[in-house]
Amino acid sequence: MSAFRTSADGLLRLVGSGTLADRIAEQIGRNVSPAERRSWSRSLEVLGQDLADAGLSQVEMLIEYQLPLTSKRVDVVLAGVDPRTADDSYVVVELKQWSYAESYEGSDDLVAVEHARGPRLHPGVQVELYCEYLTDFLGVLAAERNPIRGAAYLHNAVDRDISDLFDRASTEQSRIFTKQRRGQFIDYLRTHLAPTSGAGAADRFLTSSVRPSRHLLRYAAQELKGRSHFTLLDQQRVAYELVLHAVERARSADRKSVVVVSGGPGSGKSVIALSVLGELARQNRSVMHATGSRSFTQTLRRYAGKGSTRLKNLFSYFNSFMSAERNGLDVLICDEAHRIRETSVNRFTTKAKREKARSQIDELIAAARVPVFLLDEHQVVKPGELGNVEVISSYAKQLNLDVEVVSLHSQFRCGGSEAYEQWVVDLLGLDGGEPSVWTGDGRVDLRLAESPQELEAFLARKQAAGLTARMSAGYCWPWSDPRPDDTLVPDVQVGGWSRPWNVKSDRSVGEAPGSAFWATDPNGFGQVGCVYTAQGFEYTWSGVIIGPDLVARDGRLVTRREESKDPAFRSRKLVSDTEADLLIRNTYKVLLTRGMQGTIVYSTDPETREYLASMVKVVRPVETVFEAVTEGAPS
């Protein structure tokens, strides 16, 4: 279950027996800090008593409810019956133990909290975004009008000590109450919840189907053309607001600053990037989006900038700023910044530019008054890539620039499962963790295939059902140019099964799309994608073929550099064995975390298949009901 569920009456009984925190921790299945346990005991008891005093003891409380397709948890969702219409009624309650808070440097959406480091999201904004997100993703709410309401309850605060928070106009989804307004809070609860059982409403909420998240590129097209809004949650919204705040500060105080946003796959980095781009474009700020990925940039140009040369020109590459005017842009958004290289020089660079070449980080920082870097340090998969938090922050500090670092811990891919991402990291021996057996967490579907035929057939069924599916593999087979008759060579051969790699160039070959569009064009199914093509994208189901460059020996995965066909690995002078080992492991980290709903894995090595079978023992199947979505690129 995605929440600890009890009635208000049942919660008070658990409080009385002193077992509430233990029961919640047992249900949500993760390590819980003493501070979090104390928070539950204090805040939930207050809310439970308020419900009892309101005569709402039978209302259901969904505590630590995990938002669908993310790892974010809402403090409480109250489920019951609307006293006016007898329909299901839901109230999101965000509990805060703050006793003092004020606006952060005059911001409407960020607040400074006593004894807390750095700005926090305004609690009214936070709960409003939760409501909006739930409305977007839960099928049970889709057809309802005003189906869910929200309130932030600062039960330790009095009005005068958080007066700045009331400056922001409230809505039905962003009400704020203090202990001084306890009577108003009780009246609010009675207005939206009847004194009858909420069990049925809670059942429907918890078993609701999930509409998969909007595809990033579809969002980009709407954001930049239709001006739609993608919901940013918690630290995502903090990152968004910090960038906009830094832009305003740079203008008013004539002070340059750098923002670094770090997060794992699916944590929302690119959504933040596109949200910032859309907002600044609407404000007529000079802003550009850049990546080190040809596939990602070309896809954004094709779909987000479709029909508009101006929009296409917003998307560029890291090596496009060698001779850019210093501070010529208000903002440069560097997405996929882990792909920053030592220098922008390549074989096409003119001699004049070569002689004046600087480090690529220097070029990107110099190009804008507020350079923004979004990165995942575990996605460095190519020799020469060096973008990480420490390198960028240290360089900026050497220039005496202000640096803001935001870490995104949420997960919006892999079913919203942080546990799965950590399992992959530990399995691959990254970050020093020990491999463990995957038993399932109810959020992501992990399967093993006995053959490449079984893997492809499984994915084909998903594709036929209206879900997106792709096959990818480690770079362990040669990669041929197309034949003269415009067909692809089936280079990826495993026994009697063979398939071609994705197209090398941006030009389509027959029905197969150009490399930049392999992940988004329906005709990409049937070719095997490499890490450079898959990186930055997602699909509902991911099939991963682990080649002979990563095998299990003596109970642990080891890399075999000599099995890689990546030309970048040929020279041990340029790429050491240690670096090659890390790059191969990072490659499979990327490939194994592309699936939004699930991943199916096949290894070409028999001993590795046995090892994986011993490490995947699913006892908790996926609980979320996923609805099919139409495959294809954004329109």
Side-chain angles (χ1 to χ4, degrees), residues 34-45 95 97 155:
E36 192 168 9
R37 287 174 176 267
R38 288 193 299 271
S39 175
W40 288 338
S41 297
R42 294 169 182 172
S43 294
L44 291 172
E45 180 178 1
L95 297 164
Q97 297 190 65
H155 55 84

Side-chain angles (χ1 to χ4, degrees), residues 1 13 30 38 41 47-48 101 111 120 145 147 218 253 338 340 371 378 387-388 406 499 503 512 522 548 566 568 597:
M1 187 181 294
R13 288 198 299 271
R30 62 175 171 82
R38 288 193 299 271
S41 297
L47 179 58
V111 298
R120 302 290 182 88
R145 184 176 182 181
R218 182 180 297 115
H338 40 268
I340 289 175
H378 284 316
N388 63 54
V406 180
R499 290 292 180 271
V503 176
D566 193 330
Q597 178 178 344

Side-chain angles (χ1 to χ4, degrees), residues 121-129 152 165 168 173-176:
L121 195 59
H122 188 296
V125 176
Q126 183 180 10
V127 73
E128 185 174 48
L129 294 175
L165 274 60
R168 188 179 186 277
Q173 297 184 329
S174 65
R175 298 287 298 277
I176 294 180

Side-chain angles (χ1 to χ4, degrees), residues 433-449:
E434 287 295 319
S436 62
V437 176
W438 175 256
T439 58
D441 67 348
R443 303 202 63 80
V444 66
D445 199 342
L446 175 62
R447 304 190 183 201
L448 301 178

Side-chain angles (χ1 to χ4, degrees), residues 4-5 14 19-28 37 40:
F4 175 72
R5 175 178 175 177
L14 291 173
T19 60
L20 176 63
D22 290 337
R23 290 290 303 278
I24 298 174
E26 179 184 354
Q27 176 63 58
I28 65 176
R37 287 174 176 267
W40 288 338

